[in-house]
Amino acid sequence: MQPINTALCSYGMSGHVFHAPFISTNPNFNLYGVFERTKNEAEKHYPNIKTFISLETMLSDDNIELVVVNTPNVTHFEFAKKVIEAGKHIVVEKPFTTTVAEAEELINLAKEKNVTLSVYHNRRYDSDFLTIKQVLSENLIGELVEAEFHFDRFDPQLSYKTHKETPTAGVGSLYDLGSHLIDQALQLFGMPEALFADLDSYRPNSKVGDYFDVKLFYPTHRVILKSSYFVREPLPGSILHGRKGSFIKSRADVQEKNLQAEKKPNSNHWGIEPKTERGLLHTEKDGKITKEHIPTAIGNYMIYYDGIFDAIRNNKAVPVTAEDGMLVIKIIEAAIKSNEEKKSG
């Protein structure tokens, strides 16, 4: 089949690290163009790419079938709406939008224009998350009682990217990092009955949130999602406790690190974690208490783009639906309200 001509709405970290390498190495896609007003950064890495100095010019190019909206969070709705109105298929970086109302409008517009719409929640294809799914599906720790997921770092300095530090809609760690954890939690457990959130900011002179602690309430268990920029000694990324045992796993997916080192996703051993990062399973098997490290699944973000190809060319379901992306925003909105009111909701 004809490769899908694809264009990026920007070529910052997201375009350079998380999208271009997969589009350019997947034979089902052609990295056709990029929107860059003043720089030609993409051309340095992809000499055959076409650079557009305006979004309107890019969207008027009939050769483009798919557009990736990977601009700052606050602009996702504006850019996505223009892309859909132009009749292009679309991938929107997470977080999908800044509000549920915006998400609903885009979903309805995509249906009206009959275009494929998906949200790029690539962390569904992290090695640690795929391993957790396996542990739960195989019932290795019994009925779940509590799960805790962290996305921590030690980074007390404000970002040089001013749009990330300006208090506008969609800014802050709950949108940037929290959207990953929320999507993973919803994939594992579905929507919670209620939640309670504690949001704050601890970096000097920070005007946006850089800390969150969100507890999701389910009928049989609790799920805790946490992130802080002041964790020098990393905790396990995932801690699961069940009625038979526990599973503890580091956040050690190697894909982002390798992509930043300019390694291509079609290289040998892609997505394979070091054996030293295997998760610890402490549980009961056949009446005996066991403690062992279990193999880690292989991470691969390319699965997402393979799914996008199938959705566009073969009329299959998209790998991440816009509705899924909207549910993440629904949780974020509820967390913000919970923090403001200091009560669960």
Side-chain angles (χ1 to χ4, degrees):
M1 291 184 180
Q2 187 73 16
I4 298 171
N5 283 337
T6 305
L8 305 175
C9 282
S10 70
Y11 195 71
M13 190 265 202
S14 170
H16 176 57
V17 173
F18 288 113
H19 293 284
F22 297 95
I23 297 167
S24 64
T25 58
N26 190 319
N28 292 318
F29 293 87
N30 174 40
L31 186 57
Y32 179 88
V34 63
F35 170 33
E36 290 189 274
R37 284 194 179 95
T38 58
K39 299 179 180 180
N40 294 325
E41 291 296 322
E43 291 182 10
K44 296 177 183 178
H45 298 93
Y46 305 96
N48 296 324
I49 202 170
K50 189 173 182 178
T51 300
F52 298 90
I53 60 172
S54 76
L55 180 65
E56 289 70 25
T57 303
M58 187 174 81
L59 295 181
S60 67
D61 191 324
D62 292 335
N63 292 312
I64 297 172
E65 289 187 75
L66 173 67
V67 175
V68 178
V69 174
N70 57 324
T71 50
N73 299 347
V74 70
T75 68
H76 283 186
F77 174 73
E78 174 192 354
F79 274 63
K81 187 174 182 179
K82 290 180 179 179
V83 172
I84 296 170
E85 288 175 336
K88 310 291 189 184
H89 300 300
I90 178 171
V91 167
V92 183
E93 251 291 358
K94 65 79 205 166
F96 182 20
T97 54
T98 63
T99 68
V100 170
E102 289 178 345
E104 289 177 335
E105 184 173 341
L106 293 180
I107 290 169
N108 292 332
L109 184 61
K111 290 177 181 176
E112 177 187 327
K113 295 293 185 179
N114 194 31
V115 301
T116 299
L117 170 61
S118 179
V119 182
Y120 189 66
H121 276 294
N122 61 310
R123 297 291 179 177
R124 293 187 184 186
Y125 310 102
D126 275 358
S127 51
D128 50 298
F129 178 68
L130 294 174
T131 305
I132 291 164
K133 285 181 66 176
Q134 180 181 329
V135 167
L136 292 174
S137 66
E138 295 179 5
N139 196 35
L140 296 181
I141 60 172
E143 183 183 359
L144 187 69
V145 173
E146 181 182 83
E148 186 170 336
F149 301 108
H150 287 251
F151 209 136
D152 296 321
R153 56 186 54 173
F154 189 83
D155 189 11
Q157 302 302 318
L158 300 185
S159 173
Y160 68 92
K161 299 177 181 178
T162 56
H163 70 267
K164 285 184 172 290
E165 301 295 350
T166 304
T168 53
V171 173
S173 63
L174 183 63
Y175 276 94
D176 282 340
L177 301 179
S179 59
H180 287 309
L181 296 183
I182 293 167
D183 180 67
Q184 290 180 339
L186 296 185
Q187 284 299 294
L188 293 173
F189 312 115
M191 288 291 285
E193 293 184 327
L195 64 76
F196 180 81
D198 178 21
L199 314 178
D200 216 324
S201 178
Y202 288 107
R203 294 170 303 159
N205 301 314
S206 177
K207 297 180 180 179
V208 304
D210 54 35
Y211 171 90
F212 63 80
D213 183 345
V214 180
K215 178 174 284 190
L216 306 178
F217 298 91
Y218 293 88
T220 60
H221 62 277
R222 302 289 182 265
V223 176
I224 301 163
L225 311 177
K226 296 190 69 173
S227 177
S228 171
Y229 281 24
F230 285 94
V231 180
R232 192 184 289 275
E233 181 63 29
L235 299 167
S238 304
I239 305 168
L240 291 88
H241 301 299
R243 296 189 182 276
K244 290 199 305 182
S246 302
F247 179 69
I248 297 173
K249 174 74 180 72
S250 61
R251 179 171 292 279
D253 185 272
V254 298
Q255 293 180 87
E256 181 175 353
K257 181 179 179 181
N258 286 342
L259 290 164
Q260 289 175 332
E262 306 293 341
K263 294 182 180 180
K264 296 299 182 182
N266 58 354
S267 58
N268 292 333
H269 308 298
W270 182 260
I272 300 177
E273 284 188 15
K275 288 186 177 180
T276 53
E277 300 296 338
R278 289 177 298 173
L280 176 64
L281 177 66
H282 189 178
T283 191
E284 181 181 339
K285 291 182 179 179
D286 300 323
K288 295 182 180 180
I289 305 300
T290 64
K291 197 172 185 179
E292 61 182 319
H293 289 92
I294 66 172
T296 304
I298 298 174
N300 189 3
Y301 299 156
M302 188 67 84
I303 296 172
Y304 177 85
Y305 271 106
D306 286 339
I308 291 297
F309 175 80
D310 274 339
I312 294 174
R313 287 286 186 262
N314 300 318
N315 200 31
K316 300 286 184 66
V318 292
V320 181
T321 67
E323 288 78 9
D324 283 349
M326 181 175 66
L327 290 179
V328 171
I329 305 306
K330 188 173 183 178
I331 293 292
I332 289 175
E333 286 188 341
I336 293 171
K337 182 179 179 182
S338 170
N339 180 70
E340 291 173 346
E341 298 179 350
K342 302 302 179 186
K343 65 181 183 180
S344 60

